Amino acid sequence: MDIKLKNISKTFGIKKVIDNLSLDISSGSFTTLLGPSGCGKTTLLRMIAGLETPDSGTILLGGRCVFSSDEGISIPPEKRGLGFVFQDFALWPHMKVKDNVAFGLRAQGKAENLEEKVRSALHAVQLDDYMESYPSELSGGQQQRVSFARAIVTEPECILFDEPLSALDALLREEMRSELKALVSQRGITSVFVTHDQTEAMSMSDKIAVMSKGIIEQYASPEEIYSKPVTRFVAHFVGSSDWIDERSMFRPENADLERKSDDDICLTAKVIGSEYLGSSYRILMRYSNEKWVIEAGRKIEIGAEVPIYINKNSILCIED
Ligand SMILES: Nc1ncnc2c1ncn2[C@@H]1O[C@H](COP(=O)(O)OP(=O)(O)OP(=O)(O)O)[C@@H](O)[C@H]1O
Ligand SMILES: [Mg+2]
C-alpha cells in the first residue's frame, strides 16, 4: 500500500506542528520518520492513521483518498486498513495474550478461523507457549512481541510504528530491530516507523525522512543521508560530524593521524580528551571554535597539538 501525503498542515493552538508537508512512501517499503523530540513525528503518524485530523491537505492510501480538506473527506481509523504499534504496547491487562491478539480481529468482525490466525501470529513472534498468559506475566520484550502479533494478525497492508522499541533495554532493542524488520518484510507490509534514534533508523530503513520543526529536511536512503546530508540540521542530527567551518564538515572515520594520500589536507587540532573503546581510542579535540571527535589507533596525550589528515574528497559542503 503506497502512502501519499500532500501539503499537510496541523496547528495545535497557535503552534504550527506540521507545516505544509508532502511525502510519498512506496508500497512494501520500510520508511522511518526520524527527528528530535517535539518535531511532529507522532502527530504525522496519527494523521495517517486517522487518529488526528489535519487542518489542510490530502492523504491517499493505496490510491484511495482517506483525507481531503478540500473535498471534506475523512475516513475513520478503523476503515483505513492500517495496523498500529505504540511505544507503551497498549495491551489490555485483564485479557490473556490470545485475547489481546484476537481483539482486533473481533472488532473488525473477522471471527472466521480466529484461533488459527491468533496461533499463527503468536508463532511468528515466537510466543506459542504464552497464549494463556496475562501481559503482566511477560517480560517487556515479550509484551512488545504481543503487540506486533496483534498488529499482523489482521493482515494489514501497512503498519504504523510509534517508537515501539524505546521502552526496551539496549540489548533487547537491537535483537528486536531485526525481528521486527523480518516480520514485516516477509509479509510485504508497508511500514512507517517513528524514532528519534538514528542508529535504529539507519539500520532498519529503506528510506528515512529526517524531520525538524514540522517539515522534512531530507528524504532519502540511509546511505545518502549519511554521505550527502543536504542541510546542516541533517548533518548534525545523523551521525557524528566534525566541522571545519560553518558549511564544511567531515565524518570522524575520514580523519587520520597519518598522511594517507596526496589528496589529504592537514589541519592542526588540540587534544582535549581521550576515551579507550577497546578496538580504538575516541579522541576529543578542539579546532578553532569547534569540537571534533576522531577515532585513533593509539592514545594521544591531552593538550597535544596534532596534525589531522582528511582526504579532501571526503569533506562535505552543506549549502543550506
Ligand atoms: N493534542 C495535542 N495538543 C496540543 N499540542 C500537541 C498535541 N499533540 C502534540 N502537540 C504538540 O505538538 C508538537 C509535536 O508533538 P509530537 O508528539 O508530534 O512530537 P514527536 O516528534 O512525536 O516527539 P517525541 O519524540 O517526543 O515523541 C509538540 O510541541 C507537542 O507539544
Ligand atoms: Mg512521539
Side-chain angles (χ1 to χ4, degrees):
M1 176 192 275
D2 60 335
I3 301 173
K4 283 192 198 311
L5 308 178
K6 289 185 204 161
N7 307 109
I8 300 288
S9 292
K10 176 75 183 172
T11 304
F12 286 117
I14 52 159
K15 191 170 180 208
K16 194 157 228 184
V17 173
I18 299 293
D19 190 2
N20 198 27
L21 182 152
S22 296
L23 180 66
D24 272 7
I25 293 173
S26 51
S27 184
S29 68
F30 196 105
T31 301
T32 296
L33 308 178
L34 172 69
S37 185
C39 72
K41 305 179 295 295
T42 295
T43 305
L44 191 61
L45 204 67
R46 287 173 58 83
M47 290 195 286
I48 299 173
L51 299 167
E52 205 77 72
T53 310
D55 299 335
S56 55
T58 309
I59 301 175
L60 299 169
L61 300 179
R64 177 169 75 120
C65 181
V66 295
F67 180 84
S68 165
S69 51
D70 287 348
E71 293 175 49
I73 297 172
S74 187
I75 307 285
E78 64 277 11
K79 296 211 171 115
R80 294 195 181 188
L82 305 170
F84 210 115
V85 177
F86 300 91
Q87 173 176 10
D88 62 0
F89 318 152
L91 301 178
W92 302 103
H94 59 285
M95 279 188 198
K96 288 181 175 175
V97 164
K98 63 176 188 188
D99 296 318
N100 263 288
V101 175
F103 186 80
L105 285 173
R106 290 198 175 108
Q108 293 181 12
K110 293 181 179 166
E112 217 172 286
N113 302 327
L114 186 120
E115 196 157 322
E116 192 189 316
K117 285 181 187 166
V118 169
R119 206 177 283 280
S120 146
L122 283 168
H123 177 68
V125 297
Q126 301 158 46
L127 286 178
D128 310 68
D129 299 336
Y130 293 86
M131 304 251 306
E132 304 293 334
S133 306
Y134 285 93
S136 61
E137 297 167 330
L138 305 184
S139 71
Q142 288 168 334
Q143 289 184 38
Q144 192 53 295
R145 285 204 193 99
V146 176
S147 74
F148 295 161
R150 191 179 49 183
I152 59 170
V153 76
T154 57
E155 298 176 358
E157 287 178 54
C158 170
I159 301 182
L160 310 174
F161 295 93
D162 194 357
E163 309 236 12
L165 306 179
S166 60
L168 309 176
D169 67 55
L171 204 62
L172 189 58
R173 229 178 136 129
E174 252 175 61
E175 267 175 48
M176 296 286 277
R177 263 184 217 157
S178 46
E179 254 182 58
L180 187 156
K181 181 79 199 278
L183 205 61
V184 289
S185 56
Q186 278 159 10
R187 288 168 174 75
I189 297 173
T190 309
S191 305
V192 187
F193 186 91
V194 161
T195 185
H196 57 254
D197 180 327
Q198 46 149 312
T199 318
E200 211 163 272
M202 299 287 261
S203 64
M204 298 177 82
S205 317
D206 297 315
K207 273 181 119 176
I208 300 175
V210 184
M211 290 180 65
S212 159
K213 297 180 185 157
I215 63 158
I216 292 176
E217 296 258 340
Q218 187 168 7
Y219 179 45
S221 67
E223 291 83 355
E224 189 167 341
I225 287 198
Y226 187 77
S227 62
K228 291 182 199 134
V230 294
T231 65
R232 278 185 290 169
F233 175 83
V234 175
H236 274 290
F237 194 73
V238 180
S240 304
S241 50
D242 293 335
W243 293 79
I244 297 170
D245 55 42
E246 250 188 34
R247 307 238 166 245
S248 5
M249 59 81 109
F250 59 91
R251 299 296 188 187
E253 64 273 20
N254 292 323
D256 229 296
L257 296 173
E258 280 86 37
R259 183 181 289 280
K260 288 274 170 67
S261 108
D262 291 343
D263 284 338
D264 286 353
I265 61 158
C266 179
L267 299 170
T268 302
K270 185 173 184 171
V271 177
I272 55 173
S274 166
E275 295 166 6
Y276 182 50
L277 300 179
S279 59
S280 62
Y281 289 87
R282 186 169 177 268
I283 312 282
L284 309 168
M285 318 186 97
R286 180 164 292 288
Y287 172 79
S288 183
N289 288 327
E290 301 290 342
K291 264 191 193 163
W292 287 358
V293 175
I294 69 158
E295 274 187 29
R298 60 183 161 88
K299 192 172 183 173
I300 317 175
E301 290 312 314
I302 291 174
E305 302 258 356
V306 288
I308 301 294
Y309 297 93
I310 309 143
N311 189 302
K312 63 177 187 236
N313 300 318
S314 68
I315 294 174
L316 305 174
C317 295
I318 319 284
E319 274 155 35
D320 227 348

